[in-house]
Every structure is written in structure tokens, then in C-alpha cells.
Amino acid sequence: MPALFVVVVLLILVAATIFAGVKTVPQGQEWVVERLGKFHKALKPGLNFIVPYIDNVSYRVSTKGDVLSIGSQEVITKDNAVIITNAVAFIKVTDPTRAVYEIQNYEYAIQNLVMTSLRAIIGQMDLNNALSEREHIKARLQENIAKEVANWGIYVQSVEIQDIKPSESMQRAMEQQASADRFKQATILEAEGKREAMIREADGKLEAAKREAEAQVRLAQASARAISDISESVKDRDLPTLFLLGDRYINAIQKMATSQNSKMIMLPADLPAAIRGMMGKS
């Protein structure tokens, strides 16, 4: 019985030793092995062998792509506007050894690095550019992060800006400013419309005055030609003047007759004699 017990114990020890020395690494992982507390090697996916009781699997690192969520934070732009933004980073461990020995917690470090870089990039931009140039921010952010984490054995596949928007107080201020701008624009358009109408009205009056003046000139010229023709025909110096005064007298009577005011018009019985009286002749 004691011999049997010893054999069983030895078999158990052998099985445990074999189990401790044979490691099967699943696809998408690499295991970091330390020998007596010091880095020894990294086990690739598949069947691997280590020295039992001397070698120890200290870290199991995933080499699959990973997604890190970057929490929302307030960022101040170049023109002192407050905006809220968050992001996600897509990373992949390319060197597990450096990922576990170069940095204490690479996920936490990358999250803080993205937040810091995001504040620095947006801090160099004004509000309008920060809200509209998302692709530019993304490109600069990925470039900055890739340089930093390369020494940690990590590859940054992409950094995406999930949301970027003004804070609630900034949104209220922007709405008030937009409302004021719209009111200002409407006032300017109304003033310009009135100004244009006044200019057109003035131009119309000026054109009407010009045409009226031209009509008066042509009328005067016609009258002068008529008087000249009459004088030439009758060879009488008084008759043209008599004709002109009579014509003006009749026009004045016509204008008085078309007036809206109440009136009484008295006409002389002998119009030519009245006109000669104006001329100082009987």
C-alpha cells in the first residue's frame, strides 16, 4: 500500500509537471512568459512548451483590435467658446512584450492621451472651425496618438470623433446671436428696400420734370414758330403779341376750369379788346 501511494503521487506530479510545461495559446492572444521573475519569451498562438516551476505565464495579451471609449469632456476653443466632445480609439497590440513592460496600463494611458491631445487641438481652433472640421481634427489626433503609443508596441488604427457640440450655455448664446443677426439683416433689407423705393421715386420725378421741361420748351418753340409764321403772313407787329397773349389767357382759363375748388369765372365780352387793353392799346 505505501508503494502504491508513492506511485500515485509520482504520477500526479508527472501529470501536473507535463500540464505546467505544455501551454496552448488561443488565436488572437500572445502570452508573456517570465523565468524566475524576468522576461523570457512571448508564446505565439498554438502549442508551446515552457520549463515547469521555472517559467511562468505572467501576462495574457489580446492581439485583436480593441475599442477604447473616450468619455465626454469640456474643451475651450481659441475664441473662448466651450464645447463638449468625445471620441473612440481603435487600437491593436503589435508587440505584447512592450505593451506590458513599457507602460503600466496602456488602455488607461491611451484614453488620457486622446483627451489631452483633443483639448490641445481644439484649443488652437475657433468655434466655427472646431464644429465643421471634424475630419481635420480626427487626422491630427490620430497622428499625435500614433507617435506616442508606437513605443508601447501598439498601433492606432483610427480615432473617431463621436460627438462635438457647444455646451448648453453656448447653444443659448448662439441662438440669441443668430436671432439678433436675423433681425439685423431684416432691418437692413427693409431699409435698403425703402431707400431703393425713394431713389426710384426721385428718379421718376426727375424724369417727369425733365420731360415736362422739354414739353414746355417744345411748346414755346412751337408758339414762337406760330407767331413767326403769323407775323410773316400778316406783316403786323401787334398781331403776334395779341395771338400769344390770347393763347396764354385761354390756357389759364382752362386750368382754372379744371380745378376742384368752387369758382366763378367771368369772361370779357370782347376778348381781343381786353387783350389789347393788356397791351396798353385801345
Side-chain angles (χ1 to χ4, degrees), residues 75-78 114-126 130 133 136-145:
V75 182
I76 300 177
T77 62
K78 185 178 180 180
V114 171
M115 295 175 67
T116 303
S117 298
L118 193 57
R119 285 196 297 267
I121 293 171
I122 295 179
Q124 299 173 355
M125 308 171 67
D126 57 30
E133 298 183 5
H136 175 70
I137 297 174
K138 167 188 169 182
R140 288 190 57 188
L141 186 60
Q142 182 172 349
E143 181 182 0
N144 293 346
I145 300 303

Side-chain angles (χ1 to χ4, degrees), residues 20-25 29-52 54-61 95-98 100-101:
V22 178
K23 300 296 181 182
T24 303
V25 181
Q29 289 187 5
E30 289 189 24
W31 293 0
V32 177
V33 176
E34 293 180 348
R35 175 170 291 178
L36 300 177
K38 185 179 179 180
F39 170 74
H40 175 57
K41 65 179 180 178
L43 303 181
K44 302 295 182 180
L47 184 63
N48 295 270
F49 299 95
I50 61 175
V51 178
I54 297 178
D55 294 342
N56 179 50
V57 177
S58 300
Y59 302 97
R60 292 172 169 84
V61 181
D95 189 341
T97 303
R98 299 171 69 181
V100 298
Y101 289 114

Side-chain angles (χ1 to χ4, degrees), residues 7 17 40 53 130 153-154 156 200 216 245:
V7 172
T17 301
H40 175 57
Y53 312 117
I154 298 172
V156 178
R200 291 186 178 182
Q216 294 293 336
L245 290 176

Side-chain angles (χ1 to χ4, degrees), residues 88-193:
V88 289
F90 299 88
I91 64 172
K92 181 180 178 63
V93 176
T94 57
D95 189 341
T97 303
R98 299 171 69 181
V100 298
Y101 289 114
E102 295 291 338
I103 189 72
Q104 181 68 29
N105 187 333
Y106 65 84
E107 291 185 354
Y108 179 75
I110 292 175
Q111 288 173 337
N112 283 272
L113 187 59
V114 171
M115 295 175 67
T116 303
S117 298
L118 193 57
R119 285 196 297 267
I121 293 171
I122 295 179
Q124 299 173 355
M125 308 171 67
D126 57 30
L127 177 61
N128 292 333
N129 290 335
L131 295 177
S132 61
E133 298 183 5
R134 181 174 298 196
E135 291 299 322
H136 175 70
I137 297 174
K138 167 188 169 182
R140 288 190 57 188
L141 186 60
Q142 182 172 349
E143 181 182 0
N144 293 346
I145 300 303
K147 292 180 181 179
E148 296 291 337
V149 304
N151 294 329
W152 304 341
I154 298 172
Y155 170 66
V156 178
Q157 296 173 315
S158 177
V159 180
E160 299 292 338
I161 306 297
Q162 279 190 310
D163 195 14
I164 180 168
K165 62 182 180 180
S167 62
E168 293 184 0
S169 59
M170 279 301 304
Q171 289 182 8
R172 289 194 297 268
M174 291 172 66
E175 290 174 357
Q176 293 175 357
Q177 182 180 0
S179 178
D181 290 341
R182 286 193 295 268
F183 178 76
K184 177 182 177 182
Q185 187 66 21
T187 303
I188 292 174
L189 291 175
E190 182 180 2
E192 289 180 350

Side-chain angles (χ1 to χ4, degrees), residues 227 230-231 236-250 270-279 281:
I227 293 171
I230 294 171
S231 299
D236 189 348
R237 295 182 179 178
D238 293 338
L239 185 58
T241 305
L242 181 64
F243 171 78
L244 179 60
L245 290 176
D247 182 64
R248 298 291 175 84
Y249 186 79
I250 292 172
D270 189 356
L271 183 59
I275 296 173
R276 287 190 180 93
M278 294 178 185
M279 297 170 58
K281 296 182 179 182

